[in-house]
Amino acid sequence: MDVLLSVSVALIAGLLMSRVVKPLGLPAVTGYLVAGVLIGPYCLGQLGTALSIDGLGFRDAAYVERFGVISDVALGFIAFSIGNEFRLSQLKQTGKQATVIGVVQALFATLLVDVSLCTLSAVLGEAVFPMSAAITLGAVATATAPAATLMVVRQYKAKGKLTDILLPIVALDDAVGLVVFAVSFGIAKAMVSGSVDFYSIILNPVIEIVASLLLGTVMGFLFSESEKFFHSRSKRLSVSVTFVIFTVALTMIKIPIGRVTVGTSSLLACMMLGTVFCNVCESSGELMERVDRWTTPLFILFFVISGAELELNIFTHLSIVFVGVVYIIFRSLGKMLGAYTSAKAVHCEPQVVKYLGITLLPQAGVALGMSVTAMELGTTEGALVRNIILFSVLIYELVGPVLTKIALTKAGEIIPENRRSAKRLNAEHSQKV
């Protein structure tokens, strides 16, 4: 019962906060995140514990982890939706530009964070801030959160050159991030252990990317063929949901073969699933639209749970806050400078050159996953990396969607309109009848 009550409270809190932030001009995703903080372990969760009411909010971090399957599935659907942006007709126009910008902005972020944090490590000393932690954080800087970006684009129905190139870049970010993180993390582990592991630095990330794309391709073709056997809208929607969840489940399988681990990324696999499906299936546009409608409550839960995961006690550690602020400043500069430079080099439109970097700032799930892997560095270094990333995610998740909305609005791709609610439209229709 407590799980169902928590889910209900999370949905209600998310919906209510979306109404609260609307008059302030803030994206709904910001309201969902704030709702998660309010019903999380530091607010309503504490009250539920005090009153011995199970399910009244999320009482602690361990309890929040019980809802991890919701986040896994939601990220799968987010990647599936982003895969829809890789239609061959669009890639002919933006494919080269998106690839160049996706790689360059990620490397710029890593470079600036590495230089700034390694300098900080040299000043403070290894005992205070190890060089291995600095190098690992530089790699984590590549990651961008596709979920928040996609939600802002959907909510405001953003359209234009910036939006067209933004979503493919966010998707490519995952592949670039995997390679950069594997190399940097391998170097960091070598600094700690004194030995270099070629397999973890080069082979494993390449295998993960190739295996993910292969899995997504196979599932995409199977999905397209399976869809032909069903004709009713409800069953075709059910097939769509089944294949996304099935793909997410398969990505959780890890197969160790000697010193090599064959694993897959759910984001890359589900993105490829969506890419293959939208290019092979003639009715993919209609099905994608129906899936988008079905997933709205799932995405609300995802962001509310993400808000509940944010560690507010990080603010009590001044050293973490200081390093976190340096990380945020130089990662942001790297993303914006890299996007500006590369977009200009490949002759993108002026609004893309000017505003793209700001839309790439959100950071969440992928970065948190990397921070968990960073725990392998050792108790001190791993905990330091994870806490700094927790701090940065807290800031980026609350501020990033707002900045994305501002950038898209200034680029002229979010046009304010006097939209009428579905309730009012139904009332007007009833009066005419």
Side-chain angles (χ1 to χ4, degrees):
M1 184 197 80
D2 62 321
V3 172
L4 292 177
L5 180 58
S6 294
V7 169
S8 302
V9 171
L11 282 170
I12 293 170
L15 290 168
L16 290 177
M17 281 305 302
S18 70
R19 299 302 302 173
V20 171
V21 301
K22 186 176 182 180
L24 302 176
L26 300 176
V29 63
T30 301
Y32 303 148
L33 290 165
V34 172
V37 172
L38 294 177
I39 67 171
Y42 298 96
C43 296
L44 190 60
Q46 288 286 332
L47 179 61
T49 302
L51 298 176
S52 299
I53 302 177
D54 291 334
L56 185 62
F58 300 95
R59 57 176 177 264
D60 52 41
Y63 187 78
V64 178
E65 288 180 5
R66 295 173 62 182
F67 299 86
V69 65
I70 294 177
S71 298
D72 292 336
V73 172
L75 282 172
F77 278 102
I78 288 166
F80 177 67
S81 297
I82 290 177
N84 190 41
E85 302 300 320
F86 285 88
R87 292 181 181 271
L88 292 178
S89 57
Q90 293 178 336
L91 288 178
K92 290 178 181 178
Q93 300 175 359
T94 62
K96 179 182 177 182
Q97 293 176 328
T99 302
V100 172
I101 297 171
V103 173
V104 172
Q105 56 85 25
L107 295 180
F108 261 71
T110 296
L111 178 62
L112 263 64
V113 172
D114 273 344
V115 170
S116 61
L117 293 188
C118 286
T119 302
L120 191 62
S121 174
V123 173
L124 297 178
E126 281 285 321
V128 178
F129 184 46
M131 192 73 71
S132 57
I135 292 174
T136 303
L137 285 167
V140 179
T142 58
T144 300
T149 304
L150 180 65
M151 288 293 284
V152 172
V153 169
R154 277 190 184 175
Q155 180 183 351
Y156 296 103
K157 296 180 173 60
K159 291 182 180 179
K161 298 292 185 180
L162 176 56
T163 304
D164 290 342
I165 201 169
L166 170 61
L167 294 178
I169 289 173
V170 171
L172 287 169
D173 222 38
D174 189 30
V176 177
L178 280 173
V179 175
V180 174
F181 180 78
V183 174
S184 295
F185 186 58
I187 294 172
K189 287 176 69 177
M191 294 176 68
V192 174
S193 64
S195 60
V196 178
D197 185 358
F198 167 79
Y199 294 93
S200 62
I201 295 177
I202 302 296
L203 207 52
N204 279 338
V206 171
I207 290 174
E208 182 170 347
I209 292 172
V210 172
S212 299
L213 297 179
L214 180 61
L215 173 62
T217 300
V218 172
M219 295 300 289
F221 279 110
L222 289 176
F223 179 16
S224 301
E225 291 301 314
S226 300
E227 181 269 337
K228 296 177 183 178
F229 293 99
F230 302 92
H231 304 288
S232 70
R233 293 175 177 177
S234 58
K235 286 186 173 62
R236 292 169 72 199
L237 173 61
S238 299
V239 172
S240 305
V241 172
T242 299
F243 267 89
V244 175
I245 295 176
F246 189 23
T247 303
V248 172
L250 291 176
T251 61
M252 295 180 179
I253 300 173
K254 307 294 180 185
I255 305 174
I257 304 176
R259 298 176 66 183
V260 174
T261 300
V262 179
T264 51
S265 162
S266 63
L267 283 175
L268 282 179
C270 290
M271 180 192 71
M272 198 63 187
L273 171 70
T275 300
V276 172
F277 178 67
C278 76
N279 284 289
V280 173
C281 180
E282 294 180 356
S283 59
S284 62
E286 174 204 347
L287 283 174
M288 285 285 192
E289 184 178 348
R290 293 188 178 280
V291 170
D292 289 346
R293 294 177 182 176
W294 179 86
T295 54
T296 299
L298 180 65
F299 289 169
I300 293 175
L301 278 175
F302 169 73
F303 284 105
V304 173
I305 292 170
S306 297
E309 288 177 331
L310 298 177
E311 295 282 352
L312 300 185
N313 63 355
I314 293 296
F315 289 106
T316 61
H317 304 283
L318 295 181
S319 60
I320 298 295
V321 172
F322 175 66
V323 178
V325 169
V326 174
Y327 170 84
I328 289 171
I329 291 173
F330 283 93
R331 176 185 178 271
S332 301
L333 287 174
K335 287 284 183 181
M336 290 189 289
L337 183 60
Y340 178 87
T341 304
S342 55
K344 200 165 187 178
V346 294
H347 309 293
C348 288
E349 285 72 11
Q351 69 268 30
V352 176
V353 175
K354 190 174 182 180
Y355 297 111
L356 177 61
I358 299 174
T359 64
L360 298 174
L361 297 184
Q363 189 174 47
V366 177
L368 290 173
M370 291 177 176
S371 70
V372 171
T373 303
M375 295 299 290
E376 297 175 15
L377 282 175
T379 305
T380 303
E381 294 88 345
L384 187 61
V385 171
R386 179 152 178 80
N387 286 332
I388 291 169
I389 294 303
L390 286 171
F391 170 76
S392 67
V393 165
L394 173 62
I395 303 300
Y396 277 128
E397 279 295 87
L398 295 176
V399 177
V402 179
L403 295 177
T404 299
K405 180 201 171 185
I406 292 172
L408 290 172
T409 301
K410 288 186 175 294
E413 302 192 6
I414 293 179
I415 302 174
E417 54 180 332
N418 297 320
R419 292 190 300 170
R420 290 174 293 176
S421 67
K423 182 178 180 180
R424 183 177 298 178
L425 287 173
N426 288 335
E428 291 175 358
H429 178 71
S430 299
Q431 289 175 359
K432 290 179 181 180
V433 174

